[in-house]
């Protein structure tokens, strides 16, 4: 049973039924004989997933999905010679939704076929444009999940797109993870042969994170190895990672495969990779994913320069004095109280508050949220024995590390509450001065 309740979960019949249906889907996931209320018992994360699931079907139709390209830079030439196509979803309310969040949702629904067809079509159309413009590049790669790759229609979809845009299939590369290749081996083997016969190359993505890497290195006719960014991340600090990456490079080269290092973010990582003979570099050191237009400019550059890091000077936007919690970040419960002007009742999610002032606060979470006036959050915590709650909207955010986000919140509180908060903060400041 899926349940929605008037007026919180909808003010008309259509909306109430739609939300009850969404709740029903969720209830079914838990197995037989379950019920689910539309929003209660859901925390922000499941609420978001919920909404993404219902909105996905209109995303393609409304043009909310699009593709960005991230350059792969040839270390010797210092030139962008290839690129990876990455899918993006600009959701009207949740903002930029990561593919990590919606690809799995898509795979559980019927939309994943539409999505992979959209990716293939868009990439081929773009390759056609670059070919017509006489742009010099090697390959444009795109990602296919196991489900995409195992579909019997894949080959005809690829052929149709290649013919539609009259492109050279040598310009295409498919990125697959080991996980994909471990499935139903005979079907996979057959698909691989057909793809290769068309002239499309194959890349082994996230290399090093699977189980039988070396075995696959030998068995798989992949042309490219992409070393997972978890090995690159500490390469300048960790000797073991350096040895592993160096060995992967030597091994791959011996097998005549091209090696790409993923997630290269700084000069130290880059220098090491250069000294140990890596072929291609992909990562924020050169560029994040960009529009096709910007990618064209990258291809046209004789040499690509790294983005100078740390050029963004944090501006102090705070109007009020703040109390920092450097030693004991403040555990706080967060929930959404209204969404798009409508009240919702959700469970809470734990976040960590780093500092708090009369104007706002800063917190960290693994959730991806977007600054938006139409989403009102409620925070609840305890400060020196006092229960404190306040509402606020997210006004800025920054990705601190992979999957850790930092948010700036502007508080929306009454003057009386502000006075009360001021008293508490003053007390804390005094105490911290005496004993940090
Ligand atoms: P992936 O294939 O490993 O793609 C690389 C991811 O690393 C991208 O995240 C990219 O933005 C990010 N990245 C690139 N350079 C750096 C760096 O220097 N530092 C850090 N921290 N990250 C970097 P994105 O775009 O969020 O994609 C995440 C994953 O979603 C992809 O991982 C891929 O598995 C999947 N994905 C993306 N597009 C598609 C698609 O069209 N179809 C399918 N099935 N999956 C896709
Ligand atoms: Ca990839
Ligand atoms: Ca990867």
């Amino acid at each position: 049973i899926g349940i929605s309740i008037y007026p919180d979960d909808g003010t008309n019949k259509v909306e109430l039924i739609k939300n009850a249906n969404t709740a029903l889907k969720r209830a079914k996931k838990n197995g037989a004989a379950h019920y689910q209320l539309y929003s209660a018992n859901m925390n922000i994360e499941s609420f978001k997933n919920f909404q993404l699931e219902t909105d996905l079907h209109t995303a393609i139709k409304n043009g909310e999905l699009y593709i960005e390209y991230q350059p792969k830079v040839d270390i010797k030439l210092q030139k962008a010679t290839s690129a990876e196509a990455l899918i993006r979803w600009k959701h009207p309310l949740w903002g930029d939704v990561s593919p990590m969040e919606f690809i799995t949702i898509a795979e559980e629904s019927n939309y994943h076929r539409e999505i992979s067809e959209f990716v293939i079509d868009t990439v081929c159309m773009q390759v056609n444009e670059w070919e017509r413009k006489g742009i010099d590049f090697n390959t444009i790669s795109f990602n296919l999940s196991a489900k995409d790759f195992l579909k019997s229609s894949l080959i005809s979809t690829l052929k149709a797109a290649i013919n539609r845009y009259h492109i050279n299939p040598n310009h295409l590369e498919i990125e697959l993870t080991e996980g994909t290749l471990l499935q139903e081996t005979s079907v996979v083997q057959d698909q691989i042969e057909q793809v290769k016969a068309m002239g499309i190359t194959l890349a082994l993505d996230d290399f090093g994170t699977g189980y039988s890497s070396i075995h696959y290195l030998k068995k798989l006719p992949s042309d490219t190895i992409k070393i997972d960014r978890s090995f690159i991340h500490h390469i300048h600090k960790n000797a073991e990672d350096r040895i592993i990456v160096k060995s992967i490079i030597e091994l791959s080269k011996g097998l005549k495969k091209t090696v790409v290092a993923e997630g290269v973010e700084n000069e130290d990582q880059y220098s090491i990779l250069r000294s140990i003979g890596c072929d291609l570099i992909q990562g924020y050191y050169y560029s994040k994913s960009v529009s096709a237009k910007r990618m064209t400019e990258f291809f046209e550059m004789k040499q690509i320069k790294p983005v100078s890091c740390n050029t963004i000077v944090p501006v102090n936007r705070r109007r009020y004095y703040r109390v920092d919690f450097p030693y004991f970040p403040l555990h706080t419960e967060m929930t959404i109280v209204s969404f798009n002007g409508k009240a919702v009742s959700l469970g809470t999610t734990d976040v960590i508050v780093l500092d708090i002032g009369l104007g706002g606060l800063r917190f960290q979470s693994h959730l991806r949220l977007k600054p938006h006036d139409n989403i009102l959050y409620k925070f609840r915590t305890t400060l020196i024995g006092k229960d404190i709650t306040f509402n606020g909207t997210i006004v800025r955010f920054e990705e601190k590390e992979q999957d850790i986000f930092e948010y700036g919140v502007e508080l929306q509180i009454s003057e009386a509450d502000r006075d009360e908060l001021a008293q508490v903060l003053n007390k804390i400041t005094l105490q911290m001065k005496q004993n940090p």
Side-chain angles (χ1 to χ4, degrees):
I1 302 172
I3 305 165
S4 64
I5 299 171
Y6 174 89
D8 281 357
D9 303 335
T11 49
N12 59 56
K13 198 163 63 183
V14 174
E15 211 173 335
L16 282 165
I17 291 176
K18 187 181 126 198
N19 289 342
N21 230 330
T22 314
L24 176 63
K25 264 200 240 160
R26 163 101 170 190
K28 280 181 177 165
K29 262 186 204 159
N30 295 331
H34 276 83
Y35 69 92
Q36 173 74 53
L37 286 159
Y38 173 62
S39 59
N41 300 330
M42 264 191 257
N43 61 22
I44 296 174
E45 195 166 6
S46 41
F47 179 64
K48 184 177 176 185
N49 279 340
F50 232 41
Q51 296 205 317
L52 295 182
E53 199 175 321
T54 30
D55 293 344
L56 197 57
H57 71 287
T58 47
I60 300 183
K61 213 170 55 209
N62 296 348
E64 289 164 17
L65 295 184
Y66 61 100
I67 302 281
E68 284 193 328
Y69 299 87
Q70 188 178 32
K72 295 180 195 165
V73 176
D74 184 305
I75 268 195
K76 286 204 193 86
L77 303 173
Q78 293 286 302
K79 191 182 179 322
T81 52
S82 291
E84 174 174 6
L86 293 160
I87 194 159
R88 301 283 175 255
W89 179 7
K90 203 165 210 50
H91 188 277
L93 266 158
W94 290 106
D96 301 316
V97 183
S98 156
M100 307 276 237
E101 291 177 284
F102 70 88
I103 291 290
T104 35
I105 296 178
E107 293 198 332
E108 287 163 4
S109 69
N110 299 320
Y111 310 122
H112 81 278
R113 179 187 176 141
E114 275 177 66
I115 291 177
S116 57
E117 283 175 4
F118 167 78
V119 172
I120 292 169
D121 189 80
T122 312
V123 167
C124 291
M125 188 166 63
Q126 190 55 53
V127 165
N128 164 281
E129 187 191 316
W130 282 327
E131 285 180 357
R132 275 189 291 115
K133 282 190 173 157
I135 303 277
D136 179 29
F137 66 97
N138 287 339
T139 57
I140 306 303
S141 64
F142 54 94
N143 297 279
L144 290 182
S145 67
K147 223 170 170 178
D148 298 326
F149 195 72
L150 285 168
K151 238 174 311 169
S152 53
S153 57
L154 174 71
I155 303 298
S156 58
T157 305
L158 285 168
K159 279 190 178 150
I162 289 168
N163 290 334
R164 189 173 323 130
Y165 297 106
H166 310 289
I167 59 167
N168 177 358
N170 292 327
H171 276 151
L172 297 179
E173 183 166 75
I174 297 177
E175 298 197 3
L176 297 171
T177 59
E178 252 179 276
T180 309
L181 305 165
L182 281 167
Q183 306 205 14
E184 301 178 44
T185 20
S186 64
V187 185
V188 168
Q189 214 65 42
D190 187 50
Q191 294 279 75
I192 287 177
E193 275 164 30
Q194 294 199 57
V195 165
K196 296 218 61 155
M198 290 163 69
I200 299 174
T201 55
L202 281 183
L204 196 48
D205 202 357
D206 303 342
F207 186 77
T209 55
Y211 304 102
S212 43
S213 313
I214 297 192
H215 174 67
Y216 274 92
L217 214 49
K218 182 180 157 214
K219 211 171 147 200
L220 251 151
S222 75
D223 311 84
T224 306
I225 302 291
K226 300 191 76 181
I227 306 176
D228 190 69
R229 64 174 177 273
S230 56
F231 292 100
I232 308 299
H233 197 66
H234 299 290
I235 196 172
H236 52 311
K237 294 179 186 154
N238 184 315
E240 281 166 9
D241 283 354
R242 212 148 47 227
I243 290 167
I244 292 173
V245 171
K246 190 164 181 257
S247 311
I248 296 176
I249 292 175
E250 277 166 13
L251 205 59
S252 309
K253 290 229 158 149
L255 297 168
K256 305 230 170 352
K257 295 174 195 290
T258 307
V259 191
V260 183
E262 293 190 301
V264 181
E265 295 183 350
N266 60 49
E267 188 170 0
D268 291 345
Q269 295 165 341
Y270 161 83
S271 303
I272 290 166
L273 288 162
R274 190 188 168 100
S275 72
I276 58 182
C278 187
D279 301 308
L280 293 165
I281 297 282
Q282 182 181 355
Y284 298 168
Y285 178 59
Y286 280 110
S287 174
K288 294 194 169 182
S289 62
V290 294
S291 67
K293 186 165 170 279
R294 182 75 185 128
M295 193 59 230
T296 311
E297 292 168 10
F298 278 143
F299 278 144
E300 284 172 338
M301 286 176 193
K302 285 227 159 57
Q303 287 209 326
I304 180 171
K305 297 237 158 40
V307 281
S308 39
C309 313
N310 309 324
T311 45
I312 310 150
V313 185
V315 251
N316 196 354
R317 297 185 189 81
R318 299 174 194 166
R319 286 183 295 144
Y320 296 96
Y321 164 76
R322 290 202 186 192
V323 180
D324 278 305
F325 303 106
Y327 307 109
F328 301 102
L330 189 63
H331 279 267
T332 303
E333 290 177 345
M334 180 176 85
T335 187
I336 294 179
V337 283
S338 80
F339 189 86
N340 224 3
K342 229 181 287 160
V344 287
S345 90
L346 299 179
T348 61
T349 300
D350 285 338
V351 299
I352 284 174
V353 169
L354 305 171
D355 66 42
I356 181 169
L358 293 178
L361 59 82
R362 206 158 50 96
F363 74 88
Q364 279 190 348
S365 166
H366 69 281
L367 292 174
R368 271 171 206 270
L369 306 165
K370 191 206 161 197
H372 209 297
D373 289 346
N374 279 338
I375 307 177
L376 186 64
Y377 295 86
K378 179 179 182 162
F379 298 84
R380 182 181 169 170
T381 191
T382 313
L383 274 171
I384 46 170
K386 240 181 137 67
D387 258 349
I388 297 190
T389 57
F390 32 70
N391 291 349
T393 50
I394 292 180
V395 289
R396 61 184 165 272
F397 89 105
E398 194 186 333
E399 183 163 7
K400 277 285 156 190
E401 277 172 48
Q402 202 180 332
D403 296 326
I404 298 184
F405 304 91
E406 197 174 293
Y407 297 93
V409 173
E410 209 166 85
L411 297 188
Q412 320 246 319
I413 55 176
S414 67
E415 280 310 307
D417 284 348
R418 210 188 287 277
D419 287 346
E420 203 182 317
L421 184 60
Q423 281 177 21
V424 174
L425 293 181
N426 280 338
K427 234 185 221 163
I428 293 175
T429 311
L430 266 177
Q431 286 191 5
M432 295 231 284
K433 261 194 195 131
Q434 285 156 8
N435 182 2

